[in-house]
Amino acid sequence: MQVFDFEKDIDMKKLDKTNTRTEIQAPLSSKGRFWRNLYRDRQLYLFMLIPFAYIIIFAYVPMYGLQIAFKSFKPKLGIWGSPWVGFDQFVKFFKSYQFSRVVPNTLILSFYAIIAAFPIPIVYALMLNSLTNDRFKKVTSNITNLPHFISVVVTVGILTQVFNPRTGLYGSIVMSLTGAYPSDPFKSAENFRHFYVWSGVWQNFGWDSIIYTAALAAVSPEQHEAAQIDGASRFQRVLHVDLPAILPTIVIMMILRCGKVMSVGFEKVWLLQNSLNLNASEVISTYIYKMGIASTGTTDYSYSTAIGFFNSAINLVLISLVNWVSKKVGETSLW
Amino acid sequence: MEKSIVKFKKHVKHSPGDKVYYAISYIIVILLLLVVVYPLIFIVSASLSSASAVSTGRVFLWPVEFSTLSYEAVFAYKDVFIGYKNSIIYTLAGTLINIIVTMSCAYPLSRKTFQGRKFFMKIFSFTMIFSGGMIPSYLNISRLGMIDSIWAMLLPGAMSVYNMIIARTFIQNSIPTELLEAAQIDGCSDTAYFFKVVLPLSTAVISVIGLYYAVGHWNSYFSAFLYLHSKDKFPLQIFLREVLVQNQFDASMIFEDAENVVQRQGLQELIKYSMIVVSTLPLLILYPFVQKFLKKGVMIGSIKG
Amino acid sequence: MKRLVAVSAVLALVFCMAFAQGAPEVEQETSNYDYTMPTERVTLTVGVKEDIVVADWETNLMTKLIEEKFNVNLDFITFPSKEIGTKLNLMAMDGGKGMPDIILHAAKDNEISSWSSMGVIIPLTEYFEDDTLAANIQEAWDRIGFDYRGQVTSPDGEIYTIPSFNQSYGNEQPMKIWLYKPFLDALGLEVPTTTEELREVLKAVVNGDPNGNGKKDEIGISGTSIGLNFASSPSGWFEAIMNSFVYAGGDQFLTVENGKLGAAYTTEEWKEGLAYLRSLMAEGLLQDNILTQDNSSFKALINSEDPVIFMKVWYTAEGDIDKSRIARYSEYVGVTPFYGPEGKHYMTYRQTVASPRLLVSSNCKYPALAFAIGDYLSSEEMSIITRWGERGVDWDYVTDMADTSAYDGMYEKVGFDKYIVCYDDASFWSSGNPQNKSWRQQGPYVRQYAIANGQSNVKGSIKDYQYALAEYQYTLQNGDSKPEEIIPKLVYTDEENSQINEIKLTLKTYVDEYASQVIDGQKDLDATWAEFQSEIKKIGLDTYLSVSQNVYDRMYK
């Protein structure tokens, strides 16, 4: 039995041109082709109708709000009536005292999280999938899903309790090994990053692996059989059958992940922040939050929208870049 | 075919290399399991301990001074039951809508010859990155007359582009184009292909995105507080948060009976844990069902090359 | 392909234009105040925060009282308690659609400023001057001894809210210093009165094993990270100690002398205070991880099997102590602030200010009625009901009682006459059991010192640590630890706010951070002090001070 590699064995571009269904042999002008394809795909467009309407109504219409990033928003005048100020809000952000700290902190935290957290669910899914005891697999995956549901407040609470240098597990262990309490791990800015990232890994590796497990479910047993016939060991089978099968999923997940680089969430950072680790823990989201509550005059929506816009712009650049690279290197890409 | 696999497994002896591989894998997985399980046990134990035990940090593994006080406190707030009812409705109805819209979107985009494929992908992806913000979204819903209606809980989140991309990727990569070719030769329309071939073969991805959507609905707090006014429409999370937030100590009170104040303070520490259990339990029932589909999504039907 | 783009773009534009509209027009009552009262029974909607202890707003005792008095029907809309501001804001942006007639929200200055500029809440200034409508409020000014309007007037000169005003000793000096008496007794030491004496006592405590368990586990000063909200965690130790060097209790560490504003952290005294704290940390007298400790860890420590914490700074002695350790409540004694090397000994003083509680939206058809309801809530009796429950059942005026010998109160410790008697405050207010007799302090109320401090309870129900607290508070209130001049509250205009908001935030963060780094030893005080001073200038301290000076002059001169 043949082992199909669907991506490589079928030349999609060739298939493109052989339109096996329509009989119309119209002249191949670009204008003509456009309308002909429109007709050919008419049912597919029908499928698209509802989703497209949805995205326009609920996602694109509210986007007019983005203009306040370029305005000086006054509630009295509303969104349309407020005066334009061009890039002033952005310049204000770039020139602000905190800019040089919050932006790199956000990026560093995000990249660290990506590098650490991205491979682990994949490895876990591959490993778990390769085991043979079904009952064990079910129970394990059920359990490893659960941390995902723990609220961030509790996660940080457990973290601070376990690593307390005096009363926590960490403190007790060091005390019994060395006879003295350890120094406080929460004082250091670097540790903040480690705590942030690895608590995230712990919390989400199980849940994030679901997608890969699902992808692995689609790997046909024939391929494994064939590999076994060829003498591959279990490990080699994981590497050469399972992994390539989920590679497109992995690439897409990676691209999507890169589209969120600037969006470091607020809550966990806020809970782990203290006055000694601000060099690492002051990020864009906490900065915006503090600006909001500190303010005694009207909240400066223009400023926070401008910062949000800046974040999105960076995210867009990054995701386009990664998408372009993956197109060059392989066949999988977002667009 | 299945028989042959079974036969194969029985006959294949694990080579030494394989034994090492399995040993290492099991060890790693079990270690991960332990790291995960400890805090989970802690949370359940904490939720079943007394308020003072928890707030004085005496709970480490098992419940200390067993008490169901934290659960009682949560359920004493009768509105929690309204919340449960609403959340179930939103989750079921919402997930159904989600799956329909998502699959309708993912299918055309999975067809490589679909005209406008790139265009649509860009249009959709852009919305993952840029959004108008809370105020314009609220105003939009208000203009549509959906404020304080169940539709505000079901429609604005009708499709997550992220989940749609996952679905598209699946359909694209797991369903071989030979099937499409074969179907087209047989005169099968795009619509028929969807219902006869794509859907049945997509049970794995439908269950995954269904799970994601269901969990999203169940945990949703933000859209509810944004778009809903009437208490009788609030989902579970809103009520749970109230219980949590309101058991916090308020220093502006005068002349408290300190004992009671401390008792309520302790309650807040405690309720954090029982809240997790209360809101997660229903989901635990859901996941095993999903798991079934993750096994079955294997290719059926052979491909005549 | 290009076609498709063009077509969709046009469609999109069309949709956008169709749905997006300009700023909604809102009728503004700029000139004439509406004094009309309804002739028949009307319904007013009241927006409240969700409170799980209030059983049913519609049938609540206070609701009934109001409905009867004014012949009005009240319909309640409950908001999620943490997000009421956000929700109201969204409604305001939507032209006020959905905003209740009366809004019981402790609005922040920026909310009042936004909403009033949008015209969704109406000015109430004139109503305050009406002798009938504002009868109770004007009487309240006599009770508290001053006219609070200055504190709630917006920069545009109008008043948009009816506030609450709650005079209480405890709230005014919240950063109380508590020392663990048994340690002093075990070591045969007196209560320290100066910062140097404190140092010696701390040394003795940390090294002398006063809890007698053979372990060196005693902690000199404990608390939580600087910069946390004072009301919810014992982070006041920093201010309490710094107050012995320079007054550090002002908001944003601002000080005022002869009407001129300054910042505490620009002074040599601040430097001395930091040096002192650094030396305490270096000698192990300040808890090692005090700068990163959160409330949960603090609680675990203060409730430990063997007592370990000697000094803490918090609202009450029993704060954070679990009832299983009830003996400890009385073992912490309150002390007056320590005298610093220059003889300063301040305690943080937060003078009671009027705080916004009730707004009237422009949707309200009978604003005079709405105001009258707010006025009624400000009356003495309603102000007591909202906190203590039903008159005659949960509390009584002492003057209404024939025999008060079964009641005893803190009043003799605080020099007030008996004023009200409360029968069972514990079960009413803090038990968490649902009740239906009060609005639990949502909405306006005005209470003078005499009410809380002249309160008596059933004989025997008052614990000794409560007596101790009352006496301690009285000592502080009448002592000499209040700063000579204080800044009650600064309200900036929008222009001013946009100038200084970022500076204010950055300064606070930087000052907290620098203090923490010095105390922890990460930065050498002498070597970096000059740099610290030049940094704060760079951040914009001068602008901040000059703008704030303008506000101060405008409000208080």
Side-chain angles (χ1 to χ4, degrees), chain A residues 21-41:
Chain A
R21 277 176 302 141
T22 66
E23 264 76 63
I24 303 168
Q25 298 296 327
L28 296 176
S29 67
S30 61
K31 178 174 173 169
R33 168 173 291 163
F34 176 85
W35 290 108
R36 193 183 65 166
N37 288 344
L38 203 69
Y39 179 75
R40 176 196 69 184
D41 290 336

Side-chain angles (χ1 to χ4, degrees), chain A residues 97-98 101 278, chain C residues 504-517 523 528 531-536 539:
Chain A
Y97 188 84
Q98 309 243 28
R101 183 154 78 168
L278 287 174
Chain C
K504 183 171 111 172
L505 168 68
T506 312
L507 275 175
K508 185 70 168 42
T509 312
Y510 184 64
V511 168
D512 281 345
E513 205 179 337
Y514 181 71
S516 303
Q517 287 169 326
K523 280 207 173 140
T528 55
E531 183 197 324
F532 170 62
Q533 291 300 318
S534 71
E535 269 313 292
I536 56 180
I539 294 173

Side-chain angles (χ1 to χ4, degrees), chain A residues 217-249:
Chain A
V219 174
S220 67
E222 293 103 61
Q223 289 186 274
H224 277 282
E225 273 184 37
Q228 276 179 312
I229 294 173
D230 287 347
S233 75
R234 196 72 190 76
F235 180 64
Q236 283 174 319
R237 274 192 282 144
V238 167
L239 220 49
H240 296 292
V241 177
D242 286 336
L243 189 56
I246 62 171
L247 202 55
T249 311

Side-chain angles (χ1 to χ4, degrees), chain C residues 44 47 49 119-120 193 214 289 306 309-310 316 329 358 366 389 550:
Chain C
L44 287 184
K49 254 179 13 183
V120 293
T193 52
N289 59 337
D306 299 324
I309 296 181
F310 175 64
T316 60
Y329 295 172
L358 180 147
Y366 299 101
N550 290 340

